Amino acid sequence: MAAADPASAESAWDWDVRSPEVQSDQLRALIDRYFDDGDVAGYASSFQTIARELTDALPDDADVEFIEGFALDYALRTQQAWLHWPDYTRDALRDWVARNQRTTLAGDRAAIEEVARDFDDTVRRVIADRRAQPGPDDDATSRLLRETIDGEPLSEDLIVSILRNWTVGELGTMAASVGILVGHLARHPDLQESLRNSPEELPAAIDEILRIHSPLVSNRRVTTRPVVLGGRSIAEGERITIFWASANRDETVFGDPDDYRPEANAPHNVLYGRGIHVCPGAGLARLELRVALSALLTGTRRIDLVLGPVDPATYPASGFRTLPVRITR
């Protein structure tokens, strides 16, 4: 999901990858090329291998903390496979996720800025290594290093910004999404069994579960012109917060927002945005989520919540900090 990680909503970074020398439509056209259906489908096999390995590693008839034991590893490894990043980035990014969550929740601005600089240093190291030893021609990172706009190569700052957005936006939301999906199925064993027997229903089910419990709580924007929303006038240039989770649970649109109705609710689901702001990485995210759930349902007989409360994430993050489940093969 190529949007800013909600846990990073107050970070020191400017999540907009615009550059003064590049028009936004040129940049969007460039980025969209990395998420076309053909490119995305080519990663299915590697994602399936990762999902099966992580599923096989889960203990049989035993309790496991699912976020650390599967969801975060899956997000890190699939991102690494997509960008073809070296192994050292996995530990660096895992450490970044933990530090970023701590500093964001603490509101420590200096620490937030230090985490941001450290993350950019990791990305710059990847870029330097890739320039010194190019990867496969179809590797997303190598392709990005060869891109030009109006015949000019992309600046390193712009490349860092794009890779930062792709990476940060993917890790937090992917780990949160996988946890939300498994938590929902553990609470609804009948649906879990139905999807185990009818895997063709997984894509619609995933979108609907993530409508009910959104992995993205909010995002920030600046109005570009005066607008009236919900009867309230908002002037040009105002800073606003958009609550995706609220939009996807609007009773005037969905009725009881907790009702699981994948077919009826699909036309109104704004999980991946709409119009010109639709998430370019929606296809990649859907593939990753479908592969993860398919492996988990195929490789287990039951996934149950462990007795006792789960530990939900704290705003601005979503999902679960911890999710104890019992795996039965």
Side-chain angles (χ1 to χ4, degrees):
M1 296 183 185
D5 177 2
S8 309
E10 301 302 326
S11 78
W13 291 320
D14 176 5
W15 295 106
D16 189 350
V17 296
R18 286 177 298 180
S19 176
E21 70 273 14
V22 178
Q23 297 296 316
S24 59
D25 57 344
Q26 292 175 304
L27 188 56
R28 179 60 187 250
L30 182 153
I31 288 172
D32 282 349
R33 292 200 296 271
Y34 288 78
F35 298 100
D36 68 38
D37 292 343
D39 272 4
V40 167
Y43 292 95
S45 178
S46 59
F47 292 170
Q48 288 163 355
T49 298
I50 292 167
R52 283 195 299 266
E53 288 177 354
L54 290 174
T55 300
D56 290 346
L58 293 172
D60 184 15
D61 196 27
D63 299 349
V64 61
E65 200 295 286
F66 185 78
I67 303 303
E68 281 289 334
F70 186 102
L72 183 55
D73 274 338
Y74 183 72
L76 286 165
R77 290 183 62 181
T78 52
Q79 182 73 359
Q80 186 180 27
W82 176 53
L83 292 174
H84 201 77
W85 279 11
D87 288 342
Y88 67 75
T89 60
R90 194 182 308 171
D91 289 339
L93 293 177
R94 180 185 289 277
D95 177 67
W96 170 81
V97 169
R99 291 174 61 205
N100 189 56
Q101 289 175 347
R102 288 196 304 269
T103 56
T104 299
L105 292 175
D108 184 339
R109 189 70 183 178
I112 289 171
E113 291 175 351
E114 181 182 356
V115 170
R117 286 192 298 270
D118 288 348
F119 185 92
D120 278 5
D121 287 344
T122 298
V123 177
R124 292 182 190 279
R125 179 183 173 187
V126 169
I127 292 172
D129 290 349
R130 189 57 49 84
R131 291 194 193 280
Q133 188 171 3
D137 288 343
D138 60 350
D139 153 26
T141 302
S142 295
R143 285 172 56 195
L144 188 63
L145 295 182
R146 298 194 300 267
E147 291 282 4
T148 62
I149 292 180
D150 292 336
E152 294 294 326
L154 306 185
S155 68
E156 180 160 313
D157 285 346
L158 182 55
I159 293 171
V160 169
S161 187
I162 293 171
L163 290 172
R164 177 202 306 143
N165 273 260
W166 283 353
T167 306
V168 176
E170 180 73 5
L171 291 179
T173 49
M174 182 52 57
S177 294
V178 175
I180 289 167
L181 292 167
V182 167
H184 187 94
L185 295 182
R187 289 192 301 272
H188 298 85
D190 290 345
L191 176 59
Q192 181 183 150
E193 191 61 19
S194 173
L195 293 174
R196 195 174 268 113
N197 295 326
S198 303
E200 70 279 1
E201 297 177 4
L202 271 175
I206 289 169
D207 277 9
E208 175 68 348
I209 293 169
L210 296 180
R211 178 199 64 79
I212 294 170
H213 185 166
S214 176
L216 286 168
V217 179
S218 63
N219 213 329
R220 297 175 295 176
R221 292 288 186 268
V222 177
T223 53
T224 59
R225 60 182 176 83
V227 64
V228 177
L229 291 175
R232 177 176 175 179
S233 296
I234 303 175
E236 178 183 348
E238 287 200 30
R239 296 181 179 273
I240 62 174
T241 299
I242 300 169
F243 281 88
W244 300 107
S246 179
N248 257 343
R249 295 181 57 82
D250 186 345
E251 295 90 343
T252 66
V253 176
F254 300 103
D256 183 346
D258 288 318
D259 279 353
Y260 175 82
R261 302 186 306 155
E263 291 186 6
N265 290 332
H268 312 293
N269 192 335
V270 292
L271 175 65
Y272 294 101
R274 289 290 177 86
I276 63 171
H277 294 295
V278 68
C279 174
L284 180 67
R286 285 187 166 114
L287 173 64
E288 291 176 88
L289 294 171
R290 177 177 56 79
V291 166
L293 263 288
S294 179
L296 285 164
L297 293 175
T298 301
T300 64
R301 287 192 296 114
R302 287 180 61 90
I303 302 174
D304 297 295
L305 287 179
V306 175
L307 289 179
V310 299
D311 185 11
T314 303
Y315 178 82
S318 184
F320 305 100
R321 263 200 298 261
T322 60
L323 180 67
V325 299
R326 176 169 287 265
I327 302 297
T328 306
R329 297 192 187 281

